[in-house]
Amino acid sequence: MDSVLIIGAGAAGSVTAQKCAMNRDVFRTVHLASRRLEGCEKVAKLCKTPIDISQVDADNVDETVALIEKVKPDLVINMALPYQDLPIMDACLKTGVHYMDTANYEPRDEAKFTYEWQWPYHDKYADKGIMAVLGCGFDPGVTNVFCAYAQEHLFDTIDTIDIIDCNAGDHGKAFATNFNPEINLREVTQRGKYWKDGEWIDIDPLSISTMIDYPEVGPRKSYLIYHEEEESLVRHIKGLKQIRFWMTFSDNYIKHLDVLQNVGMTRIDPVMYKGTPVIPMEFLKELLPPPSSLGENYTGKTSIGCVIDGTKDGKRKTVLIYNVCDHAESFKETRAQAVSYTTGVPPVVGAMQMFNGAWTGKGVFNVEQFPAKPFLDELAKQGLPWHVKEITPADQAELFSVKG
């Protein structure tokens, strides 16, 4: 296995293609495809070694099948929008090619993300003798692997997991999102939830917040939201009693979000404008700066990790496993800001695990179901070093004080 087809030439897809092109000892053939060929052409110019490019409409299964049959990749890495997950999975199933993505499927007409559409592909993929690896970005992705590593190497039992995500960077824009605006705003504006004592607890959007102390960043106000890795980690971390996901948003971001919601710009249902149906969220996306434009002069860092509490040898233990990524350093290497970098590098590392035989199987899997250590070792080599720090609940006192 040494050939990869990447679908999606946005900010994160650009990083994935560039990193594959930097690792020719693993990826003999790198092919990038997108709805707009000019996007692929821009990425190809950034790559250190030549890559092939094509135009494809990933919503069209037959068109994607034709491209796969032409390119003959060993793996398709889906870096397109979550809307395209199922069509690309169908194309891989028809052609007998392995599949990987970084985010689970979302329907266009509902702000909802869940694995309930992708997990049912398991038997069909197994019967075909191929593998689908879901959620191999950073969160989901690396955060899942952090939890798997903790289960394998650090704990006898894990009671609680808090996934913490901080972007302490400054892009200098009045308002912008660090990944696709449409996906970002749908994620933030939907109802939140977390898992505790065997059930999901539903909350109003952004209604619970606390201060969290992030490595190399410091204390930041963080909001409890729902995120897809919770759904799979509940399945795969044995004995888990609670899992929550926290993300930072600046006061400026919240102010703009409130206004946009109040005037209806985050709606995903069509409204009629001069006789033409227009979806406000899609129109708003066209007005906001594209994430790929934010890298230059972006300062600061991302700090993302997992606060995990449990027992080892009969004693209470708490650890923080995390990565810190610098926006300026990311831009220097790939012309992309750190949010795109942290999303685009992990699927390259996951593909390496598949190609070298560390990750094997037939069917549909989440990343925490595979050996964690080989992935994390390679992740550090590819530009995302990770750290394990033993802490006490008092070190994150405000986080642990939030009770459901």
Side-chain angles (χ1 to χ4, degrees), residues 56 60-72 91 95:
V56 69
N60 187 316
V61 175
D62 291 338
E63 196 172 313
T64 306
V65 165
L67 177 62
I68 293 173
E69 290 177 339
K70 172 188 172 185
V71 175
K72 295 180 171 54
T95 53

Side-chain angles (χ1 to χ4, degrees), residues 229-245:
E229 61 262 51
E230 295 171 90
E231 184 181 22
S232 66
L233 288 169
V234 163
R235 279 191 171 196
H236 300 131
I237 301 300
K238 306 180 197 70
L240 187 64
K241 296 176 182 176
Q242 176 179 281
I243 186 167
R244 305 178 294 191
F245 186 98

Side-chain angles (χ1 to χ4, degrees), residues 254-317:
I254 296 296
K255 177 184 70 176
H256 279 80
L257 184 63
D258 285 343
V259 172
L260 292 170
Q261 285 185 285
N262 289 339
V263 299
M265 286 301 295
T266 61
R267 287 174 55 177
I268 60 174
D269 57 312
V271 298
M272 297 303 295
Y273 176 71
K274 295 184 176 181
T276 301
V278 175
I279 295 176
M281 181 84 82
E282 293 183 357
F283 178 70
L284 175 62
K285 174 186 172 182
E286 296 304 312
L287 300 178
L288 294 176
S292 58
S293 71
L294 301 178
E296 194 167 11
N297 300 320
Y298 209 136
T299 59
K301 300 175 181 179
T302 61
S303 181
I304 309 172
C306 301
V307 177
I308 303 174
D309 186 72
T311 62
K312 180 67 175 179
D313 299 326
K315 298 179 181 179
R316 177 62 49 189
K317 181 176 183 176

Side-chain angles (χ1 to χ4, degrees), residues 125-349:
Y125 265 64
D127 291 343
K128 195 76 171 184
I130 57 175
M131 176 166 60
V133 178
L134 307 182
C136 196
F138 203 100
D139 45 344
V142 174
T143 50
N144 301 58
V145 181
F146 285 164
C147 295
Y149 177 80
Q151 181 168 253
E152 293 169 19
H153 299 283
L154 303 179
F155 290 88
D156 295 325
T157 63
I158 291 177
D159 294 329
T160 67
I161 297 172
D162 283 287
I163 300 168
I164 59 174
D165 183 325
C166 172
N167 177 16
D170 181 8
H171 48 55
K173 307 292 185 182
F175 182 76
T177 62
N178 292 287
F179 56 95
N180 182 279
E182 191 178 343
I183 301 302
N184 176 261
L185 293 172
R186 286 163 61 107
E187 175 183 287
V188 175
T189 55
Q190 70 170 283
R191 291 185 63 78
K193 65 179 180 178
Y194 63 99
W195 193 83
K196 183 175 183 178
D197 296 333
E199 64 179 5
W200 291 105
I201 298 173
D202 193 70
I203 63 172
D204 290 333
L206 306 180
S207 60
I208 296 176
S209 63
T210 192
M211 295 297 289
I212 295 175
D213 191 2
Y214 290 88
E216 299 186 34
V217 169
R220 291 290 190 278
K221 187 175 183 180
S222 307
Y223 293 83
L224 181 63
I225 67 172
Y226 178 63
H227 224 244
E228 63 214 67
E229 61 262 51
E230 295 171 90
E231 184 181 22
S232 66
L233 288 169
V234 163
R235 279 191 171 196
H236 300 131
I237 301 300
K238 306 180 197 70
L240 187 64
K241 296 176 182 176
Q242 176 179 281
I243 186 167
R244 305 178 294 191
F245 186 98
W246 304 86
M247 183 173 282
T248 60
F249 301 104
S250 68
D251 291 342
N252 180 64
Y253 181 98
I254 296 296
K255 177 184 70 176
H256 279 80
L257 184 63
D258 285 343
V259 172
L260 292 170
Q261 285 185 285
N262 289 339
V263 299
M265 286 301 295
T266 61
R267 287 174 55 177
I268 60 174
D269 57 312
V271 298
M272 297 303 295
Y273 176 71
K274 295 184 176 181
T276 301
V278 175
I279 295 176
M281 181 84 82
E282 293 183 357
F283 178 70
L284 175 62
K285 174 186 172 182
E286 296 304 312
L287 300 178
L288 294 176
S292 58
S293 71
L294 301 178
E296 194 167 11
N297 300 320
Y298 209 136
T299 59
K301 300 175 181 179
T302 61
S303 181
I304 309 172
C306 301
V307 177
I308 303 174
D309 186 72
T311 62
K312 180 67 175 179
D313 299 326
K315 298 179 181 179
R316 177 62 49 189
K317 181 176 183 176
T318 310
V319 300
L320 171 58
I321 311 178
Y322 67 94
N323 162 265
V324 174
C325 188
D326 186 279
H327 285 288
E329 292 301 315
S330 299
F331 185 76
K332 189 184 300 182
E333 182 186 349
T334 61
R335 309 293 290 179
Q337 36 93 351
V339 176
S340 302
Y341 190 87
T342 54
T343 305
V345 172
V348 179
V349 177

Side-chain angles (χ1 to χ4, degrees), residues 2-23:
D2 59 12
S3 175
V4 63
L5 168 61
I6 303 160
I7 298 179
S14 172
V15 173
T16 301
Q18 290 181 66
K19 295 296 282 192
C20 284
M22 294 176 193
N23 288 274

Side-chain angles (χ1 to χ4, degrees), residues 39-82:
C40 297
E41 291 170 343
K42 290 179 181 178
V43 174
K45 291 177 181 177
L46 296 174
C47 290
K48 295 189 181 303
T49 58
I51 66 170
D52 300 316
I53 61 173
S54 292
Q55 187 278 332
V56 69
D57 178 0
D59 285 314
N60 187 316
V61 175
D62 291 338
E63 196 172 313
T64 306
V65 165
L67 177 62
I68 293 173
E69 290 177 339
K70 172 188 172 185
V71 175
K72 295 180 171 54
D74 298 303
L75 169 68
V76 172
I77 300 179
N78 173 12
M79 299 300 293
L81 295 180

